[in-house]
Amino acid sequence: MIAMTAESADILFKRAASYLLHEGAETTRRGQTMLESRGPVALTLTAANPMVVNSNRKINPWATLAEFPWIMAGRSDIRWLSPFMPRAADFSDDGLRWRAGYGPRMYDQISYVVDTLQRDPLSRRAVISLWQPEDRAPGYRDYPCTNWLSFQYRPEDDRLDMLVAMRSNDLFWGYSGANSVNFSLLHQSIAQWTGLRAGHYTHVADNLHIYRQRHGERARLIDQGRAWASWDLPAERLNFGPSLEAFRQEADHALNQIMCGGDLSSLTCSWLRDWAEFMS
């Protein structure tokens, strides 16, 4: 396994891009040339710094930040995502929702994880499963790339770690475009609601890859450039409110109000207020 650790997702992104560019195996899948990892890759983020800001990545921050409250509210509708992610419908089987949307699949399981860790922080059963038996059927456009998430409290270091296991992961659109931010925010919020200290977020991709025609030139520029210095999000900017249920109610309200240009003044969660102001 290839293992990389850093305080910044931006640094991890650059290292992973350089690895795939110089050591990745060139393969062709479904008519597209790819550079793939030669085995699992583990990217460990040690600080609350999940946004990839490398200028050569040309990231769209609105697209990157659009999903977290949408997932937490249990949503899978394309209507909300489309203004920020115009190609969202391309990955939908019916043009209305993502069949494998993480929101509905994770909804009850996030509640289970929070309840489990509140009752017993030392439990080793705080697990979320995303790949389901029905995903074995062929012919869909939308399959979950994430297999499962595991939360483990390390009493010796007084920290709650999170491990995410991916069957397949596009470094550009997957890891840097959505996963690092969404999963890090989930990690930080669950730690807060359970009264624990968020520790390390380890992202394991069994097949980490770059599509050569789509992102090969950008990967070369990233490899030749520099990674941005690490910075930690201050704790006051990571206040997700008193409980999971309260956050969910406000997230659903914020999603609906942003969609119709409505009033957001009633939001009490400071993280959601900041997010809604940015997304509006």
Side-chain angles (χ1 to χ4, degrees):
M1 178 182 289
I2 305 297
M4 306 175 191
T5 301
E7 296 180 347
S8 160
D10 201 79
I11 295 172
L12 289 172
F13 175 69
K14 173 178 166 52
R15 290 177 182 171
S18 298
Y19 160 69
L20 291 174
L21 196 64
H22 294 287
E23 301 182 47
E26 185 170 305
T27 60
T28 301
R29 297 180 188 264
R30 293 183 293 179
Q32 298 193 65
T33 303
M34 308 166 69
L35 295 174
E36 298 183 347
S37 58
R38 297 177 181 270
V41 175
L43 306 175
T44 298
L45 180 63
T46 61
N49 184 10
M51 181 73 80
V52 172
V53 294
N54 192 301
S55 59
N56 289 311
R57 169 60 179 81
K58 300 185 184 300
I59 207 159
N60 178 345
W62 288 273
T64 300
L65 290 166
E67 285 187 66
F68 180 65
W70 177 79
I71 289 171
M72 296 300 284
R75 304 270 288 264
S76 63
D77 55 299
I78 299 300
R79 185 184 173 200
W80 157 254
L81 287 182
S82 291
F84 309 103
M85 303 168 62
R87 297 189 66 238
D90 295 347
F91 302 94
S92 170
D93 287 280
D94 60 8
L96 300 175
R97 66 184 185 94
W98 279 350
R99 184 196 73 87
Y102 290 0
R105 293 185 181 218
M106 294 175 67
Y107 193 83
D108 291 337
Q109 297 188 78
I110 293 173
S111 299
Y112 159 77
V113 165
V114 171
D115 291 345
T116 297
L117 292 174
Q118 285 176 336
R119 288 195 310 271
D120 179 11
L122 293 175
S123 174
R124 293 170 293 190
R125 301 174 185 171
V127 174
I128 293 172
S129 299
L130 282 162
W131 185 272
Q132 303 294 329
E134 60 266 25
D135 294 320
R136 293 176 294 187
Y140 294 119
R141 287 186 179 183
D142 185 21
Y143 292 90
C145 294
T146 309
N147 291 4
W148 50 269
L149 298 81
S150 176
F151 298 82
Q152 296 277 349
Y153 177 60
R154 316 288 183 190
E156 66 277 12
D157 296 313
D158 183 30
R159 70 177 197 235
L160 178 69
D161 288 350
M162 178 180 69
L163 175 66
V164 176
M166 312 281 296
R167 62 173 181 84
S168 175
N169 204 200
D170 179 334
L171 181 65
F172 277 75
W173 279 357
Y175 176 75
S176 66
N179 302 144
S180 65
V181 170
N182 290 333
F183 290 138
S184 182
L185 289 171
L186 179 65
H187 182 202
Q188 296 291 330
S189 62
I190 286 179
Q192 184 180 122
W193 293 322
T194 55
L196 302 172
R197 184 176 70 88
H200 296 173
Y201 154 35
T202 298
H203 186 97
V204 179
D206 196 17
N207 182 298
L208 186 68
H209 54 264
I210 290 172
Y211 289 92
R212 182 184 281 281
Q213 283 80 6
R214 184 186 298 154
H215 294 133
E217 179 58 23
R218 286 194 194 176
R220 186 184 65 79
L221 293 172
I222 289 162
D223 178 47
Q224 295 175 350
R226 68 179 181 91
W228 292 84
S230 174
W231 49 271
D232 242 328
L233 286 175
E236 61 268 19
R237 306 308 293 253
L238 286 171
N239 187 337
F240 298 96
S243 68
L244 168 61
E245 195 53 45
F247 183 87
R248 280 175 166 164
Q249 291 176 5
E250 290 212 339
D252 195 57
H253 173 72
L255 293 166
N256 293 331
Q257 293 302 305
I258 290 172
M259 187 178 291
C260 67
D263 183 16
L264 292 161
S265 61
S266 65
L267 292 175
T268 62
C269 171
S270 60
W271 187 89
L272 273 172
R273 281 201 310 271
D274 289 346
W275 174 83
E277 181 178 351
F278 178 76
M279 297 304 291
S280 299

